[in-house]
Each structure stands twice: as structure tokens, then as C-alpha cells.
Amino acid sequence: MSMIEVKELELGYENRTILKNLSFSVNEGEYLCIVGENGSGKSTLMKTLLGLQKPVGGEIILGDGLRKNEIGYLPQQTIVQKDFPASVREIVLSGCQARCGLRPFYNREEKQLAEKNMERMGITKYAKRCYRDLSGGQQQRVLLARALCATRKILLLDEPVSGLDPVVTAEMYELIESLNKEGITIIMISHDISAAVCYASHILHIGKKIFFGTREEYMRSDTGKLFITREESAEDV
Amino acid sequence: MFDKLWEYLQFPFVRYALIVGILIALCSSLLGVTLVLKRFSFIGDGLSHVAFGAMAIASVANLTNQMIIVMPITVISAVLLLRTGQNSRIKGDAAIAMISVGALAFGYLLMNIFSTSSNLSGDVCSTLFGSTSMLTLRLSDVIVCAVISFIVIGVFLFFYNKIFAVTFDESFASAVGTRTKSYNLLLAIIIAVVIVTAMKLVGSLMISALIIFPALSAMRLFRSFKAVTVFSVILSVVCAVVGMVISILAGTPVGSTIVAVDVAAFLLCTVSGAVVSAVK
Ligand SMILES: Nc1ncnc2c1ncn2[C@@H]1O[C@H](COP(=O)(O)OP(=O)(O)O)[C@@H](O)[C@H]1O
Ligand SMILES: [Mg+2]
């Protein structure tokens, strides 16, 4: 059984439908990249998968014993976060939230988990620093460490490299790939198609035409060819 | 000067006023950070006007215990305002403006038509700007205020980590299974309770100042949520005490003196924050 199975999903806000007839599935250990133009509904799809909003139609089935509090999420950055007074350690710890239930304070195990994930992301030396004083790449590592505190199984990432310079972007992709190799399932939104075809095992392309399949199938498909060449010519300009 | 202060402290009502003032300052500053960062401050403002309207109803009805009416009305409004505020920002803002101005007008009208008091403008003025009733507190008022404060502080401490998570990143919190809706509701209710309690001290027009200034000041100087929260509580209590002492000695109105001290502290923190970051 798949970890997440999506059947005939229809997405939208209030009465406006953005996307219809979406079906795909994600198995354990896979690396799914969601691509598509701006405004095509990628973030909306991710929020629907996370249960932050209701689907207009269709269904999402969580399988393999995946519970809702076992999902790690890296949201697209919001303005509120940018001027928030919070130390790196406070933020990473807040990823353990779901484990606490009603217990008011974090226990030792959770604190160790937070330390371990800061270590893993190479941000231990910033533990006491303020989040808003860090660079974009460091901030993303903090949020990734937080997401890792919430899950051992699956990470959903919404444009994790937007606004980062090429070197940091490459580092970020390496980091995500290494997590995938450790066995964590990845679902990542990106409009960087070249990275998608480089790292992902599966591609979901949404837009006027919907494509879902493995990376190889995508590169052979019409949608894929069209998008890849368009991307390349855009980069040449 | 100290002699004079000492002399005043011999009166129980002065001691009651100080205790209540400290408790209120403590509670109201706890939620300041959350209020500012969650863009909830507009709710705080709207609620204080609603509380004024409710107060008008209570005083027209000649209730001895006005809290019985004011508290439920304000709490219910907090819940309703939170709902509208979440649907869409612009519509929510308009709704809040309507409710708060409406409540203000309605409250004044009620007091004008039905009031039996000979000093109407005095009544209105003290509801809006805080009143001398601070100096007519009885022991039972002090006890009620202490109980409310301990509940607020207890709830805040118990849910501290949740409040942090929900304030910092609501969608993450909700994605990993935190019940953000319930916590938002809880926050709205605490805000309403704090506002109603704080009305005694500074009046309904200046409550937002009492809630927001200490948090803004602390954010100029500190960079972790814990440090900001702790410092804003300390600052708020210090400002309240200083303000009350000044007002006792100089005979100025309590509420506005406290808010003036808060503003001064904010300016001080802004300057020292700027100096510190320039030195770095
Ligand atoms: N909260 C919202 N309410 C109504 N419409 C929205 C909302 N958020 C996004 N949209 C619309 O949904 C569409 C898809 O948005 P989004 O999922 O953010 O796209 P992407 O992430 O692919 O750039 C856009 O047309 C956008 O205008
Ligand atoms: Mg998006």
C-alpha cells in the first residue's frame, strides 16, 4: 500500500476550483517533485495534502500507518515569521509539538531530538541566535530541522530554495537528497525543473495538462519536453 | 517624597490599588507579543470598545457587579471577531471597525438616555480613560482580580509552548497536528478577560497601549521569545508601579500616567536598541 494515495482530487478555494482530476500516489522512500507554473496550485495541493484545507472533491488516503502528526512540513516563508523574535533552538524545539499532546513542556528526549537535528543541519552554532538575523539559507536549515523533529517518515517542502543563491541552493538540494537516502520520503514543490529532473524519482506536473510518472517517463513525455526546453531557452536569454 | 509615599501606603486603598495595578500590568503584558505578531492587535482594540458598550449597559441596569454582564459580552465578541477576522482580512477589519465604533456610540447613547447620575460626562470619561475607582477598591475586588490574574498566568504558562508554536507559524503547527483553532479561541478568550480586567486600571481607550507597548519595547532589545516575554512582563510591572506612584504623588490621572510611562520606556528601549546594534 502507498504512503499517500490521491484519487480524483479536486482543489480550490471556497467555490473556485483550481485543479481537477488529480490522481497520484507516493510510496515509502520516494522523492516526488511537484512542478508547474506560478499560480497553478502547487501550494494549494500541499496544504490540502496536509489537511490545512478541505478538498473540493475526491479523496486523500494516508496509508502505511502514517498518522497526521508524523508529517514534517516546510512552508513557503510568510511575512510574520520574518520579524519574529525567536531563537533557533526555540523554533527547532517547536517541531516536537505534536509529540507532546497536552503536556505543557518538552521532555529530555524531545530536547535531545532537537539538538540532534540541529547538528544534522549544521546549525548548532546558531542555537542561541535570533532567527531573523540569519541568512536565507540558514533560516531554511532551521525550518528543515524543525520539520525533522516532527517526522521520521515524510517531509513536505514548499519551494525550499526560493530566494537562495546558487551555492546555497545546491547545498540545500544535497541536504534534502541525503535525507531521502536515509529513508525519508520527500514531496517537494519546485519551479526549478532542472533540479527536479536531477534529484526526484517521480514528477507531478500540474497545470493545464497534468502529468504524473517517474522522472524518466517525464523526460520522454510531451509535457516534460515542452517544459524542459522552455526552461532552458529561458535560461539562455 | 518617600515620607509622603510612606504616608499614603498606610491607607489600605492605596495598597489595594498598587496590588491590582501590578497584577493587571503583569497579565496584560503576557499576551502582548502574541497580539502584536499575530496581527491580533486590531481585535484588542475592537474588544475594548465592546467592553465600553457593555459597561454602559451594566451601569444603566444599575448592577452592583458589572462584571456579570461585561465579561460574557466581551468574551462572546472576541470569539465572533476572531471568526470574521480569519475569513478574510479586509472584511474582518471592516467588521471590527463597525462593531467597535457601533459599541462606542451605542454605549454613550445608552448612558445619555438612561443615566440617573448627575455627573454623566464624568462617568463616561472614567469608563473611557480609567477612573478614580482604582482608589475605591474593596478587598473583594482585589481578590477577584487576583483570582483572574492567576488563572490567566496559569493558562499562559501551561500553554506557553503551544502559544509559541501557534504564533510563530500557524500552518506548520496545524500541519503537524496541533489544534490551532482551539488555541486561537483560547487566546481570544484570554485577551477578552484581560481587557475587561484591565479596564479598571486604564479605561477602555488605553488598554491596547498597556498590552502592546511593553511587548514592542522588549522586541527592540531582545531576540528570543522567552526573553521578550519575560522582559515585557517586568517592564510592564515596573512602568505600572512608577506610573501609579507618580499619579499618587502628583495627583495625575492613573491610566494616562501609566501609559505615558510606557511610552517613555518604549522610546528609551528604541534608543538603546539602536545604540546596541550600532555598537555591534
Ligand atoms: N487563500 C486563498 N484564497 C483564494 N485563492 C487563493 C488563495 N491562495 C491562493 N489562491 C489562488 O489559488 C491559485 C493557486 O495558488 P498557489 O497554490 O499558491 O499556486 P503556486 O503555489 O503553484 O504558485 C492562485 O490562482 C491563487 O491566486
Ligand atoms: Mg506556492
Side-chain angles (χ1 to χ4, degrees), chain A residues 52 68-69 71 73 75 80-81 84-86 90-91 94 97-98 101-106 130 132-133 146 150, chain B residues 37 157-162 164-165 167-169 171-172 174-178 183 219 222-226 228:
Chain A
L52 296 179
K68 189 159 172 273
N69 62 3
I71 298 179
Y73 173 45
V80 177
Q81 285 171 16
F84 200 98
E90 285 177 321
I91 292 171
S94 76
Q97 200 54 228
L102 265 183
R103 173 158 42 82
F105 300 107
Y106 298 112
C130 175
R132 65 177 171 202
D133 295 340
R146 176 184 68 167
Chain B
L37 290 169
L157 287 180
F158 192 82
F159 292 110
Y160 172 81
N161 285 320
K162 300 326 190 244
F164 171 82
T167 312
F168 178 65
D169 191 343
S171 41
F172 176 83
S174 148
V176 300
T178 308
Y183 291 117
M219 281 163 65
F222 292 92
R223 302 196 164 279
S224 80
F225 190 71
K226 200 174 181 182
V228 166

Side-chain angles (χ1 to χ4, degrees), chain B residues 43-176:
Chain B
I43 291 188
D45 231 21
L47 281 186
S48 52
H49 294 138
V50 171
F52 170 77
M55 200 67 139
I57 296 178
S59 63
V60 165
N62 241 331
L63 291 175
T64 39
N65 191 350
Q66 302 182 320
M67 285 297 149
I68 293 178
I69 283 195
V70 181
M71 195 65 96
I73 292 185
T74 315
V75 168
I76 291 170
S77 313
V79 175
L80 292 179
L81 283 182
L82 189 72
R83 286 264 168 80
T84 49
Q86 274 168 346
N87 287 342
S88 128
R89 178 138 299 152
I90 302 162
K91 267 190 269 166
D93 273 0
I96 285 157
M98 267 159 49
I99 291 175
S100 57
V101 178
L104 212 57
F106 182 71
Y108 185 55
L109 203 61
L110 265 186
M111 284 175 114
N112 231 319
I113 298 175
F114 295 107
S115 178
T116 48
S117 155
S118 54
N119 181 14
L120 176 68
S121 52
D123 283 355
V124 173
C125 194
S126 70
T127 323
L128 285 176
F129 295 107
S131 57
T132 45
S133 72
M134 265 310 273
L135 296 177
T136 56
L137 294 171
R138 284 160 303 164
L139 186 60
S140 61
D141 295 325
V142 179
I143 292 172
V144 168
C145 181
V147 170
I148 293 178
S149 307
F150 284 119
I151 294 175
V152 169
I153 295 167
V155 168
F156 182 83
L157 287 180
F158 192 82
F159 292 110
Y160 172 81
N161 285 320
K162 300 326 190 244
I163 292 174
F164 171 82
V166 172
T167 312
F168 178 65
D169 191 343
E170 195 170 327
S171 41
F172 176 83
S174 148
V176 300

Side-chain angles (χ1 to χ4, degrees), chain A residues 43 76 158-159:
Chain A
S43 299
Q76 239 173 344
D158 194 344
E159 305 210 5

Side-chain angles (χ1 to χ4, degrees), chain B residues 168-247:
Chain B
F168 178 65
D169 191 343
E170 195 170 327
S171 41
F172 176 83
S174 148
V176 300
T178 308
R179 302 181 50 190
T180 50
K181 285 220 176 90
S182 318
Y183 291 117
N184 277 332
L185 195 65
L186 183 77
L187 281 173
I189 293 173
I190 303 182
I191 292 166
V193 170
V194 166
I195 283 175
V196 172
T197 319
M199 250 176 101
K200 272 216 180 75
L201 186 62
V202 292
S204 66
L205 278 187
M206 287 183 288
I207 288 171
S208 308
L210 201 63
I211 296 178
I212 288 167
F213 268 113
L216 287 177
S217 307
M219 281 163 65
R220 300 282 151 156
L221 294 177
F222 292 92
R223 302 196 164 279
S224 80
F225 190 71
K226 200 174 181 182
V228 166
T229 307
V230 171
F231 184 75
S232 62
V233 168
I234 294 173
L235 187 69
S236 176
V237 169
V238 169
C239 287
V241 171
V242 170
M244 280 188 291
V245 168
I246 293 179
S247 98

Side-chain angles (χ1 to χ4, degrees), chain A:
Chain A
M1 196 183 168
S2 325
M3 216 163 180
I4 295 182
E5 177 148 14
V6 172
K7 283 185 189 162
E8 299 291 321
L9 189 65
E10 187 174 338
L11 302 172
Y13 290 96
E14 280 146 38
N15 319 325
R16 204 167 63 87
T17 297
I18 297 173
L19 212 59
K20 275 208 270 222
N21 287 329
L22 193 62
S23 299
F24 64 93
S25 61
V26 183
N27 295 310
E28 205 177 329
E30 287 181 350
Y31 189 147
L32 173 71
C33 211
I34 303 174
V35 296
E37 277 158 29
N38 270 337
S40 56
K42 304 183 294 294
S43 299
T44 310
L45 170 61
M46 192 163 273
K47 285 185 203 149
T48 312
L49 287 179
L50 288 163
L52 296 179
Q53 63 185 79
K54 288 205 178 76
V56 180
E59 54 179 339
I60 300 169
I61 305 161
L62 298 185
D64 278 352
L66 185 68
R67 286 204 311 271
K68 189 159 172 273
N69 62 3
E70 291 174 330
I71 298 179
Y73 173 45
L74 188 119
Q76 239 173 344
Q77 293 215 356
T78 57
I79 317 142
V80 177
Q81 285 171 16
K82 291 222 162 107
D83 49 34
F84 200 98
S87 72
V88 168
R89 181 175 279 120
E90 285 177 321
I91 292 171
V92 175
L93 253 178
S94 76
C96 299
Q97 200 54 228
R99 292 162 196 270
C100 297
L102 265 183
R103 173 158 42 82
F105 300 107
Y106 298 112
N107 62 22
R108 184 176 317 150
E109 197 184 321
E110 285 152 359
K111 284 179 183 157
Q112 278 169 356
L113 183 67
E115 296 301 323
K116 196 189 98 196
N117 284 322
M118 285 197 281
E119 194 74 45
R120 214 164 159 192
M121 293 294 110
I123 50 171
T124 307
K125 54 182 176 294
Y126 311 124
K128 285 198 179 128
R129 290 270 298 276
C130 175
Y131 176 77
R132 65 177 171 202
D133 295 340
L134 301 179
S135 72
Q138 292 162 344
Q139 288 186 345
Q140 288 299 73
R141 280 165 183 261
V142 174
L143 297 187
L144 204 50
R146 176 184 68 167
L148 285 170
C149 284
T151 187
R152 268 180 230 100
K153 294 184 175 168
I154 184 166
L155 276 180
L156 275 70
L157 315 168
D158 194 344
E159 305 210 5
V161 299
S162 69
L164 304 183
D165 66 52
V167 178
V168 182
T169 297
E171 275 173 24
M172 198 72 194
Y173 281 134
E174 303 277 309
L175 208 57
I176 295 168
E177 194 186 21
S178 70
L179 292 173
N180 182 236
K181 292 224 169 91
E182 286 172 35
I184 296 176
T185 310
I186 306 276
I187 300 181
M188 177 174 83
I189 292 177
S190 168
H191 49 219
D192 178 0
I193 198 87
S194 48
V197 295
C198 173
Y199 294 103
S201 65
H202 290 72
I203 304 238
L204 173 66
H205 183 128
I206 58 181
K208 286 204 190 73
K209 273 192 181 158
I210 294 175
F211 172 91
F212 172 68
T214 63
R215 167 177 66 174
E216 291 75 20
E217 284 165 356
Y218 182 68
M219 277 153 68
R220 268 181 271 123
S221 74
D222 293 339
T223 331
K225 275 183 194 152
L226 192 70
F227 212 62
I228 293 169
T229 43
R230 192 167 355 133
E231 191 94 336
E232 275 166 0
S233 56
E235 268 163 28
D236 289 341
V237 171

